[in-house]
Amino acid sequence: MTTAPKDNTQQAVIQAKDLRVEYRINREWLTAVNGVNLAIYPLEIHGLVGESGSGKSTLALSMMNYMADNARIGSGQVLLDGQDIAPLSSQQMRAIWGKKMSLVPQDALASLNPSYTIREQIAEVTQQHMGMAKDEAYAYAVEMLARVKIADPEAVARSYPHELSGGMQQRVMIAMALSTEPRFLVLDEPTTALDVTTQAVILDLFRELILNNQAAALYVSHDLGTVAQLCDRVTVLYGGEIMESASVTELYAQPLHPYTVGLLNSLPRHHDGTNTRLSTIKGVAPSLQQRSKVCVFADRCPVAIDICRAEKPPLETTPDGRTVRCFRWQEIANNELDLSPPEERVTETSDEADRELLQANSLSKAFGNSDLLDRLLGRAKEPLQAVDDVSFSMKTHSTLGLVGESGSGKTTLARSIVALIKADSGQIELYDEPIALDLEKRPQDVLSELQMVFQNPNDALNPYHSIGQTLKRTINKLTSKNMTDEQVAARVEDLLQAVRLPADYAGRYPSELSGGEKQRVAIARAFAANPSLVVADEPTSSLDVSVQAVILNLLKDLRAREGASYLLISHDLDVIAYLADEIAVMYLGEIVEIGPTEAVYNLPSHPYTEALISAIPEPDPTSGKQRILLEGDVPSARDLPQGCRFHTRCPRKIGAICENEAPPLRDASDGHVIRCHIPIDELVALQSQPPVAAGEGK
Amino acid sequence: MIRFFIRRIILLFVTLFVTSAIVFGLTQLLPGDIALLIKGRDASQVVIDDFRETHGLNAPVLVQYTNWLGGFATGDWGKSYLDSSDVRTTVLRRLGNSLQLAGLTLLLAVPISIVLGVVAAVAQDTWVDGVISIFSLAVVGLPEFVTGLLFLSIFAPGAGWPDWFRDFFLPALTATLVLLGYIARMTRAGVIEELRKPYVRTARLKGLSTREVLFKHVLRNALLPTITVIAISVGWLIGGLVVIENVFNYFGVGLLLVEAVERKNMPIIMAATMIIVFFFAVSNMLADLLYAMLNPRIRLG
Ligand code: SF4
Ligand code: SF4
């Protein structure tokens, strides 16, 4: 971690002064960002964190003087190198946008025009602002792509956006944003959509390029881990107001605001014991209409006192130069308030002995088999082998976590268990009885035993059915017992209570619920059938961290209460580790490592798992963790590498054997298996040393 | 691309074959003896027999059909039942008329409606948008014969309007009005949808002018569905303008087919249907092709 240049006698590159941004909603101007002061100095990356609805994206874009059609800067200034740009019209901003400031957005694919090649889109900026001719601009685009470490810049330059992987698209956005060497960059959740391995590489790239360009950047994120890794200073935003602002080291060492404390405590961290509960922040962020002349956080604050609801706390500056907006910050600084997460422990009771629940043997699934005409024309394509001969087993009352990058086949595997996708071959046994791979051939009771929770709760909820109707239908359809209407109603109430929703939610419709509430209903629906196994596919990845904590706790409680098992899919190892007893790591359709959670986290690990774990951003700026950066993207499952599938990216590759021979499964310890050519004791020895950076390390 | 073509051309022939069989089958179901119908009840047996002989009506139905099919494929489309004139000549002449009318209609409708749609989208929710929306809704709602008759009475004969104006321009204008509202609304929806996409923000934050953002970035994507609709409407313009052709007494394929059906003039029914189906299929194919060519995300084959 670099140290922040805090020479405040320098002029800030960009500075917001008493900035207030308003939205016009139903003929009324509502304040979305209120009285924000924020300065970013050269070479500084400033983190801006908060939940969705906190106003962080609005603030970030208004610092570029870019407004939605129904928004305006109500008052205040935005100074770019000392010049106020807030009064400038869009027409006047044209000389500044793309030249002195640029944006790297969250959704790179949607932010690129689908109809133009990459080089055409990059060249547009340099043609506009640097007066380059077309050929020159194209050549320069290739140069920029090389600078963001794209291996084959010529080819990428001629590609269309959809032909590139997510990581590649984001690099293109970075190349575009940096091509005019702007003074100020807004990075709006730029890695949220990416795999953790790709994220690690992109974050490194940001640091390096921003420092080389002498620029300043505002990094907007809900992820405290990446902020700790990337930023020098950080500002916490809530309800459109600054809650606190400090250097990252100070903030993570001693947060002064109850909201910051809550955010930090809601992160699952793998070194916690599996049974510690995540602390949660109750309630949701206030809507624009709700913000009043009180502490905006008062409704959710665990230590709110009377004055908090009578007056708005001022933004105070502490003796060591931090700012915080809370009446009680001194008490928090002196550790006089207890804000630490309650050390509740969930007791998982089960009287019955665990028995074999699910066994999957040699499951395989390929997509895109070529049709007759293709074959006649001699252009049959290789099928895409999403899942290749995978076997695993689960016991009752257990949770198996499946991790891997996108393209690893984890979702296909999970869906073929619940038969949403029909596996091509293999067997699945439930309680030692073989069950069909085909959904239509599964009897009622098997269907109710295996339930699914999706990433997007809307996939499971019918918008035209009330929550109560949805649950009732599921109960009636999937439980064979003939229940009376009263019993069904009682069960609905019971389920709602289990997912901590008030009973009157039965009458509401999905559109009236927040994302987190909808996910809770989807979970209740999955449990309505009294399943033995719930398959949860990225159940929290579309939610804020504080909401994620609520859902994870809920899943944990329900497992104990309903006696079910989980097959949990996530790209986030920390989420997996919070719930799972066992972890399976997938790469290109194969399980490369499987074992008890602790064993997988500790040495020895498969080289891929090792890289995954090292890429997790620690929410601790002082951790100084050495990361292993993986080169390139996951290869296509249409064209699987020979030998070990990981050999094209493996930092530990030992030689030709990895390229030619499929590696054996090696037993590391009881129930812990690693698929690698390196013998276990050698792996231990290798991984105990400081990691080698792969190729493009820093 | 090759794959796409092979597939679509096979499909085209299958479609033509199936339609011909269906239409032929349907005409067999028409009540009454065709020879009697054409030549009248009072016609002498000799005339009737002669008629049957020349048009091959004495053979079994299946043989009649295969004869027709063979003839059609080799360019002999038969003789009209009414005056024994060559069907191919008649149908192709009428097709020429229809193509001219379709051409002029597209020439009028496409630029006007796209401009209207884009203007409405850019001025979304202002009075300009309101006026355009009401206008396009109104013209979509009006039946063609109403607008057609209206035009005819406004531009009454004898007021010095040249013949081509009343005979050719007015029918095209009437057809234009039908397409206009449709294409304009499609364009408006497309542009509004694209304007909301994040790449528009990217383009603006590059410092491009509003005009560049609109013409270079937005329209390129927003007009894709519109272009498809225009291509598909070519089929309708060839075979579907019966009402307009009727009102203006314009000799297009549509009118020809209607007359032939009324008179049970089999060879013309068959040939005209084939031509119309052919143009419908080809314009659909054209629409898909254009869409794929303009959209790099679609790779045919
Ligand atoms: S001012 Fe009061 S309510 Fe607001 S954060 Fe501080 S203690 Fe909590
Ligand atoms: S087999 Fe070789 S390439 Fe594969 S993970 Fe082991 S060391 Fe790496």
Side-chain angles (χ1 to χ4, degrees):
Chain A
M1 194 51 40
T2 54
T3 47
K6 260 175 291 185
D7 178 8
N8 286 14
T9 53
Q10 263 181 304
Q11 187 180 49
V13 174
I14 190 95
Q15 185 172 14
K17 276 192 168 167
D18 296 319
L19 186 66
R20 172 205 206 67
V21 183
E22 298 167 330
Y23 275 96
R24 191 177 169 81
I25 292 168
N26 297 332
R27 308 211 169 139
E28 216 186 323
W29 287 100
L30 298 168
T31 307
V33 168
N34 195 4
V36 163
N37 286 293
L38 198 153
I40 309 175
Y41 295 90
L43 296 177
E44 191 178 86
I45 305 182
H46 195 112
L48 187 61
V49 295
E51 292 164 280
S52 36
S54 62
K56 56 186 193 302
S57 289
T58 306
L59 172 59
L61 285 175
S62 65
M63 291 188 68
M64 299 182 78
N65 194 16
Y66 184 86
M67 297 283 137
D69 286 340
N70 62 338
R72 67 170 186 201
I73 291 184
S75 61
Q77 296 179 310
V78 178
L79 305 177
L80 174 70
D81 288 321
Q83 184 212 349
D84 187 8
I85 57 168
L88 300 185
S89 69
S90 314
Q91 187 58 32
Q92 291 167 312
M93 284 305 295
R94 282 183 50 208
I96 296 173
W97 284 337
K99 183 169 174 58
K100 291 190 174 171
M101 43 173 66
S102 41
L103 171 75
V104 180
Q106 170 171 5
D107 188 349
L109 178 58
S111 299
L112 288 164
N113 191 323
S115 301
Y116 291 103
T117 59
I118 298 305
R119 63 176 186 183
E120 285 173 302
Q121 302 195 49
I122 297 181
E124 238 178 354
V125 197
T126 48
Q127 285 174 303
Q128 177 81 19
H129 294 292
M130 295 159 72
M132 284 191 188
K134 193 164 163 187
D135 290 347
E136 198 187 346
Y138 281 0
Y140 185 70
V142 173
E143 207 178 296
M144 283 310 299
L145 292 173
R147 269 218 255 166
V148 296
K149 300 185 178 150
I150 285 177
D152 188 358
E154 284 283 351
V156 169
R158 286 162 202 273
S159 316
Y160 287 95
H162 70 277
E163 296 167 339
L164 307 175
S165 69
M168 211 61 112
Q169 290 159 356
Q170 196 54 281
R171 284 178 209 231
V172 167
M173 289 309 295
I174 298 168
M176 191 189 289
L178 289 173
S179 57
T180 52
E181 307 198 342
R183 297 281 294 145
F184 173 52
L185 278 164
V186 171
L187 314 172
D188 189 2
E189 307 250 13
T191 61
T192 310
L194 304 178
D195 279 315
V196 29
T197 47
T198 317
Q199 167 174 291
V201 176
I202 299 273
L203 289 181
D204 256 38
L205 199 57
F206 275 137
R207 256 252 69 94
E208 189 187 318
L209 294 173
I210 288 167
L211 296 186
N212 286 347
N213 267 4
Q214 303 281 310
L218 181 65
Y219 176 74
V220 183
S221 181
H222 67 280
D223 181 351
L224 290 154
T226 57
V227 169
Q229 215 176 88
L230 182 67
C231 298
D232 308 300
R233 294 185 65 77
V234 55
T235 291
V236 180
L237 205 67
Y238 184 82
E241 293 175 17
I242 291 181
M243 294 293 110
E244 95 168 281
S245 189
S247 76
V248 267
T249 24
E250 289 168 332
L251 187 107
Y252 285 77
Q254 169 68 75
L256 292 183
H257 195 282
Y259 180 55
T260 318
V261 176
L263 281 181
L264 282 169
N265 284 340
S266 58
L267 286 178
R269 300 196 206 182
H270 60 275
H271 39 77
D272 290 354
T274 333
N275 266 344
T276 340
R277 277 179 86 71
L278 297 176
S279 86
T280 57
I281 311 172
K282 57 179 195 230
V284 290
S287 70
L288 291 184
Q289 283 90 344
Q290 286 167 346
R291 295 172 190 170
S292 41
K293 301 231 169 304
V294 297
C295 172
V296 283
F297 189 55
D299 284 346
R300 299 172 72 194
C301 181
V303 293
I305 47 178
D306 288 347
I307 185 173
C308 306
R309 296 182 213 281
E311 279 177 44
K312 188 179 277 299
L315 194 64
E316 291 179 72
T317 307
T318 69
D320 40 7
R322 304 171 58 171
T323 47
V324 57
R325 188 193 293 277
C326 174
F327 288 119
R328 308 189 72 180
W329 71 266
Q330 268 137 333
E331 293 165 76
I332 296 171
N334 296 334
N335 287 320
E336 289 163 19
L337 288 182
D338 184 21
L339 284 160
S340 59
E343 278 291 306
E344 269 178 71
R345 288 188 172 259
V346 188
T347 43
E348 308 219 359
T349 49
S350 73
D351 307 332
E352 353 160 14
D354 290 344
R355 49 185 187 127
E356 213 55 60
L357 167 68
L358 185 90
Q359 250 182 312
N361 292 320
S362 305
L363 282 183
S364 293
K365 174 71 195 176
F367 292 106
N369 289 315
S370 310
D371 67 9
L372 184 68
L373 188 57
D374 273 321
R375 264 173 269 152
L376 284 178
L377 286 170
R379 49 169 82 193
K381 267 189 263 161
E382 283 297 308
L384 189 154
Q385 194 69 44
V387 172
D388 195 4
D389 195 16
V390 167
S391 306
F392 65 91
S393 67
M394 288 180 69
K395 294 213 180 317
T396 50
H397 305 108
S398 71
T399 295
L400 173 65
L402 265 183
V403 279
E405 290 164 284
S406 41
S408 62
K410 56 189 193 302
T411 294
T412 309
L413 176 59
R415 294 193 168 205
S416 51
I417 299 290
V418 289
L420 278 179
I421 290 175
K422 184 180 170 295
D424 297 332
S425 61
Q427 299 89 39
I428 304 175
E429 286 177 17
L430 184 69
Y431 293 123
D432 296 326
E433 295 285 327
I435 57 173
L437 299 176
D438 201 335
L439 190 65
E440 265 93 65
K441 297 204 187 103
R442 289 195 175 173
Q444 192 73 61
D445 53 325
V446 171
L447 293 183
S448 37
E449 290 288 10
L450 302 174
Q451 288 290 306
M452 177 118 188
V453 174
F454 298 89
Q455 171 174 359
N456 183 351
N458 295 328
D459 290 349
L461 304 179
N462 183 333
Y464 303 108
H465 288 167
S466 72
I467 306 309
Q469 283 167 327
T470 298
L471 294 178
K472 260 182 217 147
R473 283 172 64 98
T474 314
I475 296 170
N476 286 332
K477 208 169 91 196
L478 288 179
T479 50
S480 47
K481 303 161 257 169
N482 288 321
M483 291 163 88
T484 64
D485 284 356
E486 289 82 57
Q487 282 169 316
V488 172
R491 177 68 177 149
V492 167
E493 206 171 307
D494 177 53
L495 283 167
L496 284 176
Q497 200 197 337
V499 295
R500 314 248 159 70
L501 287 175
D504 67 329
Y505 268 54
R508 300 207 189 177
Y509 287 84
S511 59
E512 300 170 63
L513 272 53
S514 71
E517 287 172 332
K518 274 191 253 183
Q519 192 59 288
R520 287 196 238 180
V521 174
I523 291 170
R525 200 199 66 98
F527 276 96
N530 294 317
S532 298
L533 177 69
V534 173
V535 176
D537 187 1
E538 304 269 7
T540 62
S541 60
S542 60
L543 306 171
D544 271 320
V545 278
S546 60
V547 184
Q548 163 170 303
V550 176
I551 299 286
L552 291 180
N553 283 342
L554 197 70
L555 285 171
K556 195 168 232 186
D557 294 349
L558 274 167
R559 178 176 57 188
R561 183 187 138 129
E562 306 275 326
S565 296
Y566 293 132
L567 178 60
L568 177 70
I569 294 105
S570 179
H571 66 282
D572 186 336
L573 256 170
D574 278 343
V575 165
I576 295 272
Y578 180 65
L579 282 170
D581 318 305
E582 272 203 307
I583 296 182
V585 182
M586 281 190 81
Y587 188 76
L588 279 178
E590 281 182 338
I591 293 181
V592 294
E593 177 169 6
I594 187 167
T597 301
E598 280 316 302
V600 171
Y601 257 106
N602 294 321
L603 300 183
S605 294
H606 187 277
Y608 178 58
T609 316
E610 189 189 4
L612 277 184
I613 293 176
S614 93
I616 300 172
E618 257 333 292
D620 175 5
T622 57
S623 78
K625 183 159 91 172
Q626 272 284 308
R627 277 170 298 126
I628 302 170
L629 298 179
L630 289 184
E631 265 179 284
D633 293 316
V634 184
S636 160
R638 278 191 197 287
D639 187 15
L640 293 169
Q642 289 287 309
C644 172
R645 291 182 184 174
F646 188 48
H647 83 76
T648 56
R649 298 166 83 203
C650 180
R652 302 254 180 227
K653 188 170 138 186
I654 46 175
I657 186 171
C658 296
E659 291 168 24
N660 300 324
E661 278 173 48
L665 287 170
R666 298 180 186 273
D667 283 312
S669 57
D670 195 21
H672 181 198
V673 181
I674 294 173
R675 189 189 289 274
C676 181
H677 281 301
I678 305 177
I680 298 298
D681 43 349
E682 281 179 40
L683 261 182
V684 177
L686 276 171
Q687 292 173 339
S688 314
Q689 295 157 15
V692 284
E696 54 182 47
K698 49 177 178 179
Chain B
M1 217 43 128
I2 307 168
R3 190 194 133 108
F4 171 82
F5 265 120
I6 297 177
R7 184 171 263 179
R8 293 306 286 263
I9 285 168
I10 294 173
L11 198 69
L12 175 67
F13 280 107
V14 173
T15 317
L16 286 175
F17 175 73
V18 172
T19 349
S20 71
I22 292 175
V23 175
F24 195 89
L26 283 176
T27 51
Q28 294 304 313
L29 296 178
L30 292 174
D33 184 321
I34 289 185
L36 281 180
L37 279 170
I38 300 277
K39 291 292 165 194
R41 299 206 170 276
D42 312 331
S44 68
Q45 193 60 38
V46 181
V47 174
I48 301 271
D49 287 346
D50 189 40
F51 179 82
R52 289 204 175 125
E53 191 56 40
T54 21
H55 295 285
L57 295 179
N58 291 325
V61 177
L62 212 59
V63 177
Q64 283 186 39
Y65 176 63
T66 40
N67 283 345
W68 174 84
L69 199 64
F72 188 78
T74 52
D76 173 13
W77 296 5
K79 301 253 175 287
S80 163
Y81 283 180
L82 294 180
D83 53 9
S84 294
S85 60
D86 183 40
V87 169
R88 184 147 163 254
T89 324
T90 316
V91 172
L92 290 184
R93 197 184 59 239
R94 292 295 199 105
L95 176 66
N97 290 346
S98 280
L99 284 173
Q100 285 179 19
L101 185 58
L104 182 61
T105 308
L106 287 179
L107 224 57
L108 289 172
V110 171
I112 300 177
S113 51
I114 288 184
V115 168
L116 283 182
V118 172
V119 169
V122 172
Q124 196 195 348
D125 297 333
T126 64
W127 63 269
V128 180
D129 182 22
V131 169
I132 295 176
S133 294
I134 290 171
F135 172 72
S136 48
L137 259 180
V139 293
V140 167
L142 275 181
E144 300 110 283
F145 67 89
V146 177
T147 28
L149 291 174
L150 211 68
F151 280 146
L152 276 181
S153 57
I154 293 173
F155 305 103
W161 301 105
D163 284 350
W164 65 264
F165 182 83
R166 281 175 53 90
D167 298 346
F168 182 46
F169 186 80
L170 285 185
L173 194 64
T174 313
T176 297
L177 282 189
V178 178
L179 281 184
L180 191 73
Y182 196 44
I183 301 179
R185 277 144 49 87
M186 188 98 194
T187 308
R188 176 181 180 273
V191 171
I192 287 177
E193 190 186 322
E194 291 299 318
L195 277 174
R196 292 205 190 105
K197 298 219 171 132
Y199 73 78
V200 176
R201 180 178 68 184
T202 311
R204 288 189 59 197
L205 285 178
K206 282 178 182 173
L208 301 182
S209 69
T210 313
R211 225 189 33 238
E212 284 170 303
V213 173
L214 186 68
F215 285 99
K216 195 169 166 203
H217 284 274
V218 176
L219 289 192
R220 178 76 165 72
N221 297 303
L223 291 186
L224 281 177
T226 310
I227 289 170
T228 319
V229 163
I230 293 171
I232 288 177
S233 70
V234 171
W236 174 76
L237 285 172
I238 303 292
L241 293 185
V242 185
V243 176
I244 292 176
E245 288 172 10
N246 207 350
V247 170
F248 291 93
N249 207 16
Y250 187 90
F251 296 120
V253 189
L255 199 57
L256 177 70
L257 180 60
V258 172
E259 289 164 356
V261 170
E262 281 166 356
R263 311 296 294 274
K264 312 230 162 21
N265 197 348
M266 278 279 299
I268 300 229
I269 298 182
M270 293 300 292
T273 330
M274 287 296 105
I275 286 294
I276 291 171
V277 170
F278 176 79
F279 272 93
F280 263 104
V282 167
S283 69
N284 265 303
M285 189 163 130
L286 194 74
D288 289 349
L289 195 68
L290 268 174
Y291 190 79
M293 270 169 29
L294 295 173
N295 187 346
R297 280 164 293 182
I298 310 274
R299 284 272 167 273
L300 294 177

